[in-house]
Amino acid sequence: MPDRKTVRIAVAFVLAFALLCACVQALADSEPALRFENDEIIIPVKKTAKASPVTENVETPKALKFKWTSSDEQIATVQNGTIRGIAAGEATITCNAELPEGKELSASLKVQVVEPVKTIKIDTKAKTPVNVGETLTVDYTILPENATDKSLTWTSSDPAIATVDGTGTVTAVSAGMVTVTATTNDGSKKQAKVLLCVPSLRCETEHLTVTKPEGASFDVDYFGADWEKDVTVKATGKSIQYQTEKNGNKVTVHVDGGTFDNGKIEFKDKKDPASKVTVDVDIYPDEDCLQGVEYMREEKFYSAYSAFQRSSSELAREKEKECLQPWPKDGIITKDPSLKGRESELVFKINLPDDYAMLIKLVKDGQTVANLFVGGTGTARIPLPSGVYTIKDGSGKQWFGLKEAFGPEGTYETMTFGDDETEVLLEKHYRSTISVNVESLDPGAEAVGTLNEGWEGFSE
């Protein structure tokens, strides 16, 4: 154990060391110094900021003369403490001052020059619907493109209707209108807003096809207050009948079958005018009638005619009549726009019974380039560029349109020339007359043979 003398010496040494440190610190604190209030400032391009150095322990601070420099004048310049942003980037501003005794003081300030956001443009259309439980990311454009900080803060005017996260993704919560706002984070205080709609009505079915007597159903989601009081349902069509059954937010709509009708069922919320659902409805007695109508839309009238004939519905009989097309006028029905030139001419003279007609196809390089129609006894002519052609013809009584001609009951042939050649050369300034079923051929008319062809190949 140390004696008392040793302890007294050790304590005295510690106290002396502490006193020495305090004196050194006091001496340092009393030294003249130059500094800035902040270590860093941010300046927009083409804007200025005043930098004011602070002196410490200087007897005559007003007598000091400051010298200012910039580490990169392409980024920022400085004059008498006024810093101007030139271009986006970083620079160091240094302030020097010389004391009367010759000692120089110096302080530095880091400057960040930024290109501020000037415009936020919301690209998402106003009142864009967002269904409950679904999300929508707001599209936007920030100008200029080289803005330093393009980050945004997103807010919703009513999070009970829709929330929005930091990326601008909106999540619909309940029916109503909500404003989503984007605000810049770079201090430019620019904002942009978009009004979005969360509809009270939603339906994934856009078109309902009914082909069975018992009918068919679809669902409507409802997020409003009172379906019975606020929602109106209207059906358009000759005989569309429906019933609704509500279970929670889901309303099942059942449409009766057994008829031949088309129209729509429309749902509107009186308290939410932006909410509207429309479902197109087509009702057919059976699948054959549906197929027949689909063929008619494709202008395949013979295929439609056959489908209606397979149906046992009396209503299908009316559709059968619609499949029989009126005869076109004698002459050119179609001609490929690329078929330019009039150096040659083909003339067709037809002599058929009055209730028969003929469709003539001109084929060049494997492609049909023209269609001509002649009913009963008549003539059709077409100017053509010279070249090699194949000529096909079909004839019959019932006309089902250009795609399916006279149906499989018609007669279809490929004309042959010379030694059963299926191609004919049309020379320049040459008119060729082809006569079909004419007893007394015109002088100079070419003799034409035929090769039988199936309906499927002809109507391709």
Side-chain angles (χ1 to χ4, degrees), residues 327-347:
W327 285 2
K329 292 181 179 180
D330 288 0
I332 301 170
I333 301 177
T334 65
K335 184 178 180 181
D336 195 310
S338 65
L339 200 65
K340 298 178 181 179
R342 305 172 63 91
E343 301 98 340
S344 303
E345 185 179 52
L346 264 178
V347 180

PDB file of all heavy atoms in Angstrom, residues 327-347:
ATOM      1  N   TRP A 327     -78.307 -10.040-105.768  1.00  0.00           N
ATOM      2  CA  TRP A 327     -77.254 -10.087-106.783  1.00  0.00           C
ATOM      3  C   TRP A 327     -76.612  -8.702-106.947  1.00  0.00           C
ATOM      4  O   TRP A 327     -77.315  -7.683-107.002  1.00  0.00           O
ATOM      5  CB  TRP A 327     -77.828 -10.520-108.124  1.00  0.00           C
ATOM      6  CG  TRP A 327     -78.153 -11.981-108.225  1.00  0.00           C
ATOM      7  CD1 TRP A 327     -78.017 -12.909-107.257  1.00  0.00           C
ATOM      8  CD2 TRP A 327     -78.676 -12.641-109.370  1.00  0.00           C
ATOM      9  NE1 TRP A 327     -78.409 -14.133-107.709  1.00  0.00           N
ATOM     10  CE2 TRP A 327     -78.829 -14.008-109.031  1.00  0.00           C
ATOM     11  CE3 TRP A 327     -79.032 -12.248-110.655  1.00  0.00           C
ATOM     12  CZ2 TRP A 327     -79.315 -14.954-109.909  1.00  0.00           C
ATOM     13  CZ3 TRP A 327     -79.516 -13.188-111.543  1.00  0.00           C
ATOM     14  CH2 TRP A 327     -79.654 -14.543-111.173  1.00  0.00           C
ATOM     15  N   PRO A 328     -75.285  -8.667-107.044  1.00  0.00           N
ATOM     16  CA  PRO A 328     -74.644  -7.391-107.390  1.00  0.00           C
ATOM     17  C   PRO A 328     -74.958  -7.014-108.836  1.00  0.00           C
ATOM     18  O   PRO A 328     -75.453  -7.829-109.627  1.00  0.00           O
ATOM     19  CB  PRO A 328     -73.148  -7.688-107.208  1.00  0.00           C
ATOM     20  CG  PRO A 328     -73.077  -8.972-106.444  1.00  0.00           C
ATOM     21  CD  PRO A 328     -74.312  -9.731-106.799  1.00  0.00           C
ATOM     22  N   LYS A 329     -74.652  -5.791-109.188  1.00  0.00           N
ATOM     23  CA  LYS A 329     -74.816  -5.370-110.585  1.00  0.00           C
ATOM     24  C   LYS A 329     -73.760  -6.057-111.449  1.00  0.00           C
ATOM     25  O   LYS A 329     -72.672  -6.375-110.982  1.00  0.00           O
ATOM     26  CB  LYS A 329     -74.659  -3.849-110.698  1.00  0.00           C
ATOM     27  CG  LYS A 329     -75.772  -3.062-110.033  1.00  0.00           C
ATOM     28  CD  LYS A 329     -75.551  -1.565-110.226  1.00  0.00           C
ATOM     29  CE  LYS A 329     -76.681  -0.770-109.587  1.00  0.00           C
ATOM     30  NZ  LYS A 329     -76.468   0.704-109.772  1.00  0.00           N
ATOM     31  N   ASP A 330     -74.095  -6.273-112.716  1.00  0.00           N
ATOM     32  CA  ASP A 330     -73.132  -6.867-113.642  1.00  0.00           C
ATOM     33  C   ASP A 330     -71.889  -5.988-113.732  1.00  0.00           C
ATOM     34  O   ASP A 330     -71.988  -4.752-113.834  1.00  0.00           O
ATOM     35  CB  ASP A 330     -73.747  -7.020-115.034  1.00  0.00           C
ATOM     36  CG  ASP A 330     -74.790  -8.129-115.081  1.00  0.00           C
ATOM     37  OD1 ASP A 330     -75.015  -8.766-114.036  1.00  0.00           O
ATOM     38  OD2 ASP A 330     -75.396  -8.337-116.152  1.00  0.00           O
ATOM     39  N   GLY A 331     -70.734  -6.636-113.700  1.00  0.00           N
ATOM     40  CA  GLY A 331     -69.487  -5.892-113.839  1.00  0.00           C
ATOM     41  C   GLY A 331     -68.500  -6.248-112.738  1.00  0.00           C
ATOM     42  O   GLY A 331     -68.568  -7.318-112.132  1.00  0.00           O
ATOM     43  N   ILE A 332     -67.592  -5.318-112.493  1.00  0.00           N
ATOM     44  CA  ILE A 332     -66.514  -5.541-111.533  1.00  0.00           C
ATOM     45  C   ILE A 332     -67.052  -5.356-110.111  1.00  0.00           C
ATOM     46  O   ILE A 332     -67.656  -4.342-109.786  1.00  0.00           O
ATOM     47  CB  ILE A 332     -65.349  -4.573-111.785  1.00  0.00           C
ATOM     48  CG1 ILE A 332     -64.806  -4.750-113.216  1.00  0.00           C
ATOM     49  CG2 ILE A 332     -64.237  -4.783-110.764  1.00  0.00           C
ATOM     50  CD1 ILE A 332     -63.816  -3.671-113.616  1.00  0.00           C
ATOM     51  N   ILE A 333     -66.826  -6.382-109.263  1.00  0.00           N
ATOM     52  CA  ILE A 333     -67.176  -6.252-107.842  1.00  0.00           C
ATOM     53  C   ILE A 333     -65.988  -5.702-107.075  1.00  0.00           C
ATOM     54  O   ILE A 333     -66.100  -4.748-106.319  1.00  0.00           O
ATOM     55  CB  ILE A 333     -67.582  -7.615-107.243  1.00  0.00           C
ATOM     56  CG1 ILE A 333     -68.772  -8.201-107.990  1.00  0.00           C
ATOM     57  CG2 ILE A 333     -67.924  -7.456-105.773  1.00  0.00           C
ATOM     58  CD1 ILE A 333     -69.176  -9.579-107.477  1.00  0.00           C
ATOM     59  N   THR A 334     -64.832  -6.326-107.246  1.00  0.00           N
ATOM     60  CA  THR A 334     -63.608  -5.873-106.586  1.00  0.00           C
ATOM     61  C   THR A 334     -62.451  -5.934-107.562  1.00  0.00           C
ATOM     62  O   THR A 334     -62.427  -6.770-108.475  1.00  0.00           O
ATOM     63  CB  THR A 334     -63.258  -6.740-105.354  1.00  0.00           C
ATOM     64  OG1 THR A 334     -62.958  -8.073-105.785  1.00  0.00           O
ATOM     65  CG2 THR A 334     -64.407  -6.770-104.354  1.00  0.00           C
ATOM     66  N   LYS A 335     -61.481  -5.050-107.341  1.00  0.00           N
ATOM     67  CA  LYS A 335     -60.267  -5.057-108.156  1.00  0.00           C
ATOM     68  C   LYS A 335     -59.126  -4.591-107.271  1.00  0.00           C
ATOM     69  O   LYS A 335     -59.216  -3.549-106.616  1.00  0.00           O
ATOM     70  CB  LYS A 335     -60.409  -4.136-109.368  1.00  0.00           C
ATOM     71  CG  LYS A 335     -59.207  -4.169-110.307  1.00  0.00           C
ATOM     72  CD  LYS A 335     -59.440  -3.273-111.511  1.00  0.00           C
ATOM     73  CE  LYS A 335     -58.243  -3.289-112.461  1.00  0.00           C
ATOM     74  NZ  LYS A 335     -58.457  -2.400-113.633  1.00  0.00           N
ATOM     75  N   ASP A 336     -58.054  -5.381-107.230  1.00  0.00           N
ATOM     76  CA  ASP A 336     -56.908  -5.057-106.391  1.00  0.00           C
ATOM     77  C   ASP A 336     -56.299  -3.714-106.836  1.00  0.00           C
ATOM     78  O   ASP A 336     -56.032  -3.519-108.020  1.00  0.00           O
ATOM     79  CB  ASP A 336     -55.857  -6.166-106.511  1.00  0.00           C
ATOM     80  CG  ASP A 336     -54.810  -6.082-105.406  1.00  0.00           C
ATOM     81  OD1 ASP A 336     -54.269  -4.992-105.202  1.00  0.00           O
ATOM     82  OD2 ASP A 336     -54.549  -7.113-104.763  1.00  0.00           O
ATOM     83  N   PRO A 337     -56.095  -2.772-105.881  1.00  0.00           N
ATOM     84  CA  PRO A 337     -55.521  -1.469-106.251  1.00  0.00           C
ATOM     85  C   PRO A 337     -54.157  -1.574-106.909  1.00  0.00           C
ATOM     86  O   PRO A 337     -53.766  -0.680-107.676  1.00  0.00           O
ATOM     87  CB  PRO A 337     -55.425  -0.736-104.906  1.00  0.00           C
ATOM     88  CG  PRO A 337     -56.406  -1.419-104.011  1.00  0.00           C
ATOM     89  CD  PRO A 337     -56.425  -2.845-104.455  1.00  0.00           C
ATOM     90  N   SER A 338     -53.428  -2.654-106.625  1.00  0.00           N
ATOM     91  CA  SER A 338     -52.100  -2.810-107.219  1.00  0.00           C
ATOM     92  C   SER A 338     -52.172  -3.239-108.678  1.00  0.00           C
ATOM     93  O   SER A 338     -51.161  -3.242-109.369  1.00  0.00           O
ATOM     94  CB  SER A 338     -51.291  -3.848-106.420  1.00  0.00           C
ATOM     95  OG  SER A 338     -51.894  -5.131-106.523  1.00  0.00           O
ATOM     96  N   LEU A 339     -53.371  -3.597-109.135  1.00  0.00           N
ATOM     97  CA  LEU A 339     -53.543  -4.065-110.522  1.00  0.00           C
ATOM     98  C   LEU A 339     -53.686  -2.852-111.436  1.00  0.00           C
ATOM     99  O   LEU A 339     -54.786  -2.484-111.856  1.00  0.00           O
ATOM    100  CB  LEU A 339     -54.771  -4.977-110.610  1.00  0.00           C
ATOM    101  CG  LEU A 339     -54.852  -5.915-111.821  1.00  0.00           C
ATOM    102  CD1 LEU A 339     -53.737  -6.940-111.776  1.00  0.00           C
ATOM    103  CD2 LEU A 339     -56.198  -6.618-111.854  1.00  0.00           C
ATOM    104  N   LYS A 340     -52.561  -2.217-111.726  1.00  0.00           N
ATOM    105  CA  LYS A 340     -52.570  -0.998-112.515  1.00  0.00           C
ATOM    106  C   LYS A 340     -52.234  -1.300-113.979  1.00  0.00           C
ATOM    107  O   LYS A 340     -51.557  -2.256-114.298  1.00  0.00           O
ATOM    108  CB  LYS A 340     -51.573   0.000-111.946  1.00  0.00           C
ATOM    109  CG  LYS A 340     -51.897   0.423-110.514  1.00  0.00           C
ATOM    110  CD  LYS A 340     -50.863   1.380-109.971  1.00  0.00           C
ATOM    111  CE  LYS A 340     -51.201   1.775-108.533  1.00  0.00           C
ATOM    112  NZ  LYS A 340     -50.191   2.707-107.965  1.00  0.00           N
ATOM    113  N   GLY A 341     -52.726  -0.441-114.843  1.00  0.00           N
ATOM    114  CA  GLY A 341     -52.470  -0.623-116.266  1.00  0.00           C
ATOM    115  C   GLY A 341     -53.731  -1.025-117.008  1.00  0.00           C
ATOM    116  O   GLY A 341     -54.605  -1.705-116.466  1.00  0.00           O
ATOM    117  N   ARG A 342     -53.852  -0.588-118.247  1.00  0.00           N
ATOM    118  CA  ARG A 342     -55.039  -0.867-119.060  1.00  0.00           C
ATOM    119  C   ARG A 342     -54.637  -1.316-120.470  1.00  0.00           C
ATOM    120  O   ARG A 342     -55.339  -1.068-121.443  1.00  0.00           O
ATOM    121  CB  ARG A 342     -55.899   0.389-119.158  1.00  0.00           C
ATOM    122  CG  ARG A 342     -56.284   0.990-117.809  1.00  0.00           C
ATOM    123  CD  ARG A 342     -56.972   2.342-117.961  1.00  0.00           C
ATOM    124  NE  ARG A 342     -58.222   2.214-118.678  1.00  0.00           N
ATOM    125  CZ  ARG A 342     -59.405   2.007-118.104  1.00  0.00           C
ATOM    126  NH1 ARG A 342     -59.464   1.875-116.778  1.00  0.00           N
ATOM    127  NH2 ARG A 342     -60.495   1.909-118.807  1.00  0.00           N
ATOM    128  N   GLU A 343     -53.476  -2.006-120.571  1.00  0.00           N
ATOM    129  CA  GLU A 343     -52.986  -2.370-121.917  1.00  0.00           C
ATOM    130  C   GLU A 343     -53.866  -3.412-122.583  1.00  0.00           C
ATOM    131  O   GLU A 343     -53.893  -3.525-123.801  1.00  0.00           O
ATOM    132  CB  GLU A 343     -51.549  -2.905-121.837  1.00  0.00           C
ATOM    133  CG  GLU A 343     -50.533  -1.930-121.243  1.00  0.00           C
ATOM    134  CD  GLU A 343     -50.285  -2.213-119.788  1.00  0.00           C
ATOM    135  OE1 GLU A 343     -51.124  -2.860-119.148  1.00  0.00           O
ATOM    136  OE2 GLU A 343     -49.242  -1.782-119.287  1.00  0.00           O
ATOM    137  N   SER A 344     -54.578  -4.218-121.742  1.00  0.00           N
ATOM    138  CA  SER A 344     -55.384  -5.307-122.302  1.00  0.00           C
ATOM    139  C   SER A 344     -56.792  -5.234-121.731  1.00  0.00           C
ATOM    140  O   SER A 344     -57.063  -4.477-120.790  1.00  0.00           O
ATOM    141  CB  SER A 344     -54.764  -6.663-121.967  1.00  0.00           C
ATOM    142  OG  SER A 344     -53.427  -6.736-122.428  1.00  0.00           O
ATOM    143  N   GLU A 345     -57.691  -6.053-122.294  1.00  0.00           N
ATOM    144  CA  GLU A 345     -59.065  -6.072-121.803  1.00  0.00           C
ATOM    145  C   GLU A 345     -59.626  -7.484-121.937  1.00  0.00           C
ATOM    146  O   GLU A 345     -59.391  -8.179-122.930  1.00  0.00           O
ATOM    147  CB  GLU A 345     -59.945  -5.102-122.584  1.00  0.00           C
ATOM    148  CG  GLU A 345     -61.359  -5.018-122.011  1.00  0.00           C
ATOM    149  CD  GLU A 345     -62.231  -4.027-122.771  1.00  0.00           C
ATOM    150  OE1 GLU A 345     -62.305  -4.145-124.017  1.00  0.00           O
ATOM    151  OE2 GLU A 345     -62.832  -3.158-122.135  1.00  0.00           O
ATOM    152  N   LEU A 346     -60.318  -7.899-120.889  1.00  0.00           N
ATOM    153  CA  LEU A 346     -61.029  -9.176-120.915  1.00  0.00           C
ATOM    154  C   LEU A 346     -62.525  -8.885-120.951  1.00  0.00           C
ATOM    155  O   LEU A 346     -63.023  -8.062-120.174  1.00  0.00           O
ATOM    156  CB  LEU A 346     -60.703 -10.001-119.668  1.00  0.00           C
ATOM    157  CG  LEU A 346     -59.596 -11.053-119.785  1.00  0.00           C
ATOM    158  CD1 LEU A 346     -59.383 -11.732-118.442  1.00  0.00           C
ATOM    159  CD2 LEU A 346     -59.917 -12.096-120.857  1.00  0.00           C
ATOM    160  N   VAL A 347     -63.229  -9.579-121.858  1.00  0.00           N
ATOM    161  CA  VAL A 347     -64.672  -9.417-121.979  1.00  0.00           C
ATOM    162  C   VAL A 347     -65.326 -10.778-121.789  1.00  0.00           C
ATOM    163  O   VAL A 347     -64.907 -11.766-122.397  1.00  0.00           O
ATOM    164  CB  VAL A 347     -65.057  -8.833-123.352  1.00  0.00           C
ATOM    165  CG1 VAL A 347     -66.577  -8.683-123.457  1.00  0.00           C
ATOM    166  CG2 VAL A 347     -64.366  -7.495-123.583  1.00  0.00           C
TER     167      VAL A 347
END
